[in-house]
Amino acid sequence: IQATRFFGGEFGADGELDEGESLPIGHTNIVFEDLKIEDTGLGIYIGTYSKNVDINRVHVDNSQRIAIYSEAGSHGVKIRNSIITNNNTREAVAIDSTYDSEISNTLFINNREGGINLYQNCGELKGQVCPVLRTTSSNNNRIINNTFVNTGVSGVNVASRQGRNHASGWCATLDGQRGKFTDTARDNVVSNNTFVCTEGTSLIVKNGPNTVSNNRIFARQRCVPFEISTGGLGAEASSLLDGIVFDSNLIDSARPPRLRNLSPNVSIQD
């Protein structure tokens, strides 16, 4: 299912909004309800600059790539009361440069490459396949009251592309230069979720400020309960990770968390 057309503004040849140019407007006020989508390449694709898209009581099973993809500039997206299972080669839900949105009361089971990733796409292949730079970040989103069981790489990954190495030089944000991309995902809330894992990492946060509170993490075997770090930037980060509140989370794990490059202003209180 795709919702992809543009209405309104246009981008210049450089893929950026010119001064005074109207923001493009995608599809608005769409409801996907009481659906089962299975055995597809991609379940639901929410096109760029869409607004007020409601996905309610939808079961997406066995997608080959992504179950639900929300593109750059989209906002007011709600995924609720749904089930996402057996996703294969990428994260189940991609929140790509999408803001002011919510994922709630949704069950994620056996998604091999992760549950939810929040990130700002760097605009790969500038001038070819994806010439449009992402001008919005994945900010002010709420991930609340969900359950993640055996989601492989991670349950929730905030700023999931932090420090990604673009050695081949195809990242538009880096203007085609080789290097590591700085991801942005701020002022998000991850709260009242349950994570159950035997591998990977339950919860990862690589940018701030963000709030993680009142979650329940049950990490068994090889699973790391949570990670707060600058990701692939490591010690190369220009500043320490700041403004993260990690509070009142129940952690049941034999393994310690992974913490790296944090400022004194990061508050971790289980």
Side-chain angles (χ1 to χ4, degrees):
I1 298 175
Q2 295 194 27
T4 58
R5 288 182 297 167
F6 286 117
F7 297 93
E10 298 177 353
F11 288 110
D14 60 358
E16 298 186 39
L17 284 170
D18 296 329
E19 185 176 354
E21 186 177 355
S22 298
L23 191 71
I25 300 173
H27 286 290
T28 61
N29 303 321
I30 298 177
V31 176
F32 299 100
E33 194 166 80
D34 296 321
L35 300 174
K36 184 170 185 180
I37 303 169
E38 55 187 341
D39 303 325
T40 63
L42 191 154
I44 297 175
Y45 182 89
I46 302 169
T48 313
Y49 295 98
S50 294
K51 179 181 179 182
N52 297 337
V53 177
D54 188 5
I55 299 172
N56 185 30
R57 298 193 302 273
V58 171
H59 184 184
V60 184
D61 180 65
N62 197 36
S63 296
Q64 290 305 306
R65 284 185 59 77
I66 298 176
I68 301 174
Y69 195 114
S70 183
E71 261 281 16
S74 294
H75 53 288
V77 175
K78 291 185 178 180
I79 303 170
R80 55 196 179 99
N81 306 315
S82 294
I83 301 172
I84 301 178
T85 52
N86 303 311
N87 205 65
N88 288 290
T89 61
R90 276 192 57 178
E91 67 271 20
V93 174
I95 302 300
D96 177 357
S97 310
T98 293
Y99 60 96
D100 293 347
S101 295
E102 180 175 299
I103 303 173
S104 62
N105 300 304
T106 291
L107 176 63
F108 296 80
I109 302 178
N110 295 334
N111 297 292
R112 191 180 72 185
E113 298 300 317
I116 303 170
N117 284 5
L118 290 80
Y119 59 93
Q120 182 175 4
N121 194 310
C122 78
E124 63 270 24
L125 298 174
K126 182 178 180 181
Q128 300 179 38
V129 177
C130 301
V132 178
L133 292 173
R134 274 62 169 186
T135 57
T136 59
S137 304
S138 288
N139 297 342
N140 298 308
N141 298 294
R142 290 165 52 83
I143 300 174
I144 56 174
N145 299 319
N146 304 287
T147 299
F148 302 85
V149 180
N150 294 334
T151 49
V153 174
S154 60
V156 174
N157 195 337
V158 180
S160 64
R161 299 194 176 186
Q162 190 72 276
R164 175 177 283 194
N165 190 358
H166 293 282
S168 60
W170 48 259
C171 178
T173 301
L174 296 175
D175 197 25
Q177 302 300 308
R178 298 178 180 181
K180 292 186 177 181
F181 174 62
T182 301
D183 200 354
T184 303
R186 295 173 177 162
D187 299 315
N188 299 288
V189 174
V190 181
S191 184
N192 288 300
N193 302 285
T194 299
F195 300 85
V196 180
C197 62
T198 57
E199 61 180 345
T201 305
S202 284
L203 175 62
I204 304 172
V205 182
K206 294 186 275 189
N207 192 223
N210 288 293
T211 299
V212 178
S213 65
N214 297 299
N215 298 286
R216 297 160 297 281
I217 298 176
F218 302 93
R220 299 290 182 263
Q221 299 179 29
R222 302 185 305 275
C223 188
V224 175
F226 63 93
E227 173 183 335
I228 302 176
S229 76
T230 49
L233 293 177
E236 299 176 11
S238 58
S239 61
L240 298 178
L241 193 58
D242 201 1
I244 293 175
V245 175
F246 190 95
D247 187 36
S248 301
N249 298 284
L250 171 64
I251 310 297
D252 185 348
S253 173
R255 289 189 169 226
R258 187 178 295 121
L259 307 174
R260 186 176 64 224
N261 222 27
L262 309 185
S263 82
N265 294 325
V266 172
S267 173
I268 300 177
Q269 300 181 17
D270 297 344

